[in-house]
Amino acid sequence: MSAIIGTSVQEAIHWLASGQPVALPTETVYGLAAPLDDVSCIKKIYALKQRPANNPLIVHVLGIEQLQQVAEVSPLAEKLVQHFWPGPLTLVLKRKEIVPDIVTAGQTTVAVRSPQNPLFREVIRTLGQPLVAPSANKFQHISPTSAQQVSQDMGDVLNYILNGGPCQFGLESTILSLLNNSPTLLRPGPISKEQLQDFLSMAIKDRDSAIHEDKPLLSPGLYKKHYSPKTPLYWIEKLESYQPTEAYRSIFEQNSAHVFLMPPNRTLQASEFVLSPQGDLQEAAAHLFSMLQHLDMLGFQSIWIEKAPNVGIGRAINDRLSRAAHFKV
Ligand code: TXA
Ligand code: MG
């Protein structure tokens, strides 16, 4: 099989209605979608991704009405939804019966978000029901931020990839648990912890501190190693001032790619790359996954990438890099 990449919502609907998962664009990363009520299509998502069955899926809805069909909506949830949806914020709430067990991995909670992408929204509207969608990559591979990247990773097992161009944010959504009325950040993302705290005027717990207090939550962050390029990835402080120790010198200097967050104040060499030519973190985030995938194909022996400042979306960049890196030196 070789997936067709196209821009026809009708074609996407055709495959979904005949029980086949389809890759759809969102503002974060591409998703591999199935209708909420089609358990056999949802099973195919797990099989095609080679995803373990204990890792639950996100339900994608148009807005609060569909949210109420699948989850118990607390006042805090409603407040967040009104401000941040549609957008890259996923809420973990108590589920309702209608949600198939396969979606929640048998848990009593469900993760829900409302995507911004107009093509994705048109598919939900036409089908008249929510869609479940994990990122459209094989298990532990990089999340795709373009239709071409979906095709490279999963084109051999899919029928159709709906092309919505490159993803605006390029990092998976922020996941916030609202269980027990105690907001906990399960996955940092495009909506930052600072933004959430400012808006709610309350402290947001981090996943790690929450784990110690409560029993472990099944969540993405619990896979310490989530995805990584095949080329050994070294995650370091500032590249420009980095002085490798004797043990690392030859690896750092020979046939290696060096990735800056922002442009250095000098001309780049052929082995040097910049995540944000304009010098802002948002742009760096949007380019991160496509850069790693691109460099992985160029035959370097190692990739060296620098840390982002740990604020705003920089936290999400560092979260993904800390899990992608083979070495922190
Ligand atoms: O931006 C996104 O969120 C993208 C696009 C396609 O919407 N989706 C995405 O899905 O990143 P996925 O499956 O790659 O990551 C969702 C993560 C999973 O790793 C899962 O552990 C977590 O969300 N999750 C799902 N349901 C959960 C729940 N009830 N409690 C805690 N975590 C949950
Ligand atoms: Mg994923």
Side-chain angles (χ1 to χ4, degrees):
M1 193 190 292
S2 177
I4 292 170
I5 300 180
T7 54
S8 164
V9 168
Q10 277 320 308
E11 183 82 10
I13 300 282
H14 159 78
W15 287 111
L16 288 167
S18 42
Q20 302 300 326
V22 165
L24 300 178
T26 87
E27 73 278 29
T28 57
V29 300
Y30 275 69
L32 183 58
L36 182 68
D37 75 354
D38 188 344
V39 169
S40 100
C41 191
I42 298 171
K43 277 190 187 146
K44 287 180 194 154
I45 290 182
Y46 281 92
L48 297 176
K49 278 182 61 89
Q50 295 151 19
R51 179 182 178 106
N54 66 0
N55 197 357
L57 305 178
I58 295 177
V59 177
H60 295 67
V61 299
L62 276 183
I64 189 130
E65 256 174 55
Q66 282 182 339
L67 172 64
Q68 279 159 344
Q69 291 164 16
V70 297
E72 305 286 348
V73 185
S74 62
L76 193 61
E78 188 168 344
K79 193 172 164 189
L80 286 162
V81 160
Q82 265 154 13
H83 190 74
F84 290 104
W85 280 14
L89 177 66
T90 296
L91 298 178
V92 174
L93 300 165
K94 244 179 138 279
R95 70 182 270 195
K96 285 193 176 160
E97 276 303 304
I98 192 175
V99 184
D101 277 344
I102 186 173
V103 172
T104 64
Q107 299 187 91
T108 55
T109 62
V110 62
V112 191
R113 85 176 190 96
S114 181
Q116 256 165 22
N117 185 288
L119 296 176
F120 199 121
R121 297 182 70 78
E122 205 179 323
V123 175
I124 305 179
R125 211 174 286 119
T126 310
L127 283 176
Q129 63 163 309
L131 292 169
V132 300
S135 51
N137 53 278
K138 290 193 178 144
F139 185 57
Q140 294 193 331
H141 289 192
I142 290 178
S143 297
T145 55
S146 70
Q148 289 71 25
Q149 275 177 36
V150 178
S151 178
Q152 276 161 25
D153 194 23
M154 303 204 71
D156 57 332
V157 294
L158 297 183
N159 294 294
Y160 197 68
I161 300 167
L162 185 60
N163 190 354
C167 300
Q168 181 195 342
F169 292 104
L171 290 183
E172 305 89 345
S173 62
T174 305
I175 303 183
L176 186 70
S177 165
L178 293 181
L179 303 179
N180 314 317
N181 259 331
S182 146
T184 305
L185 192 67
L186 299 184
R187 177 171 76 183
I191 309 269
S192 69
K193 181 178 174 179
E194 291 88 342
Q195 264 175 294
L196 292 167
Q197 292 189 146
D198 286 352
F199 175 71
L200 292 176
S201 305
M202 66 195 282
I204 304 239
K205 284 195 248 172
D206 282 316
R207 179 187 59 218
D208 290 341
S209 58
I211 283 169
H212 296 306
E213 285 169 30
D214 209 344
K215 61 177 189 298
L217 287 157
L218 278 179
S219 85
L222 295 185
Y223 291 110
K224 261 230 156 69
K225 191 75 169 282
H226 189 51
Y227 58 77
S228 45
K230 293 184 200 84
T231 314
L233 181 70
Y234 292 78
W235 190 40
I236 57 176
E237 301 292 338
K238 288 270 147 277
L239 247 180
E240 203 62 332
S241 53
Y242 180 64
Q243 300 282 349
T245 57
E246 198 52 43
Y248 289 106
R249 187 160 306 141
S250 67
I251 309 172
F252 183 71
E253 285 166 5
Q254 286 167 26
N255 193 20
S256 58
H258 295 179
V259 186
F260 291 90
L261 232 69
M262 320 264 166
N265 253 338
R266 58 173 177 77
T267 318
L268 292 180
Q269 295 173 25
S271 61
E272 292 180 325
F273 303 84
V274 174
L275 278 176
S276 170
Q278 317 234 34
D280 75 83
L281 281 180
Q282 197 84 33
E283 187 189 32
H287 292 163
L288 178 66
F289 289 160
S290 53
M291 176 71 81
L292 290 179
Q293 220 200 21
H294 176 65
L295 294 179
D296 214 12
M297 293 188 302
L298 293 184
F300 288 106
Q301 266 162 22
S302 62
I303 301 169
W304 297 71
I305 190 163
E306 61 184 1
K307 282 185 188 168
N310 219 17
V311 292
I313 199 169
R315 281 181 207 272
I317 295 176
N318 287 337
D319 170 72
R320 305 310 188 271
L321 282 177
S322 74
R323 285 190 268 149
H326 303 68
F327 304 96
K328 287 152 209 173
V329 295

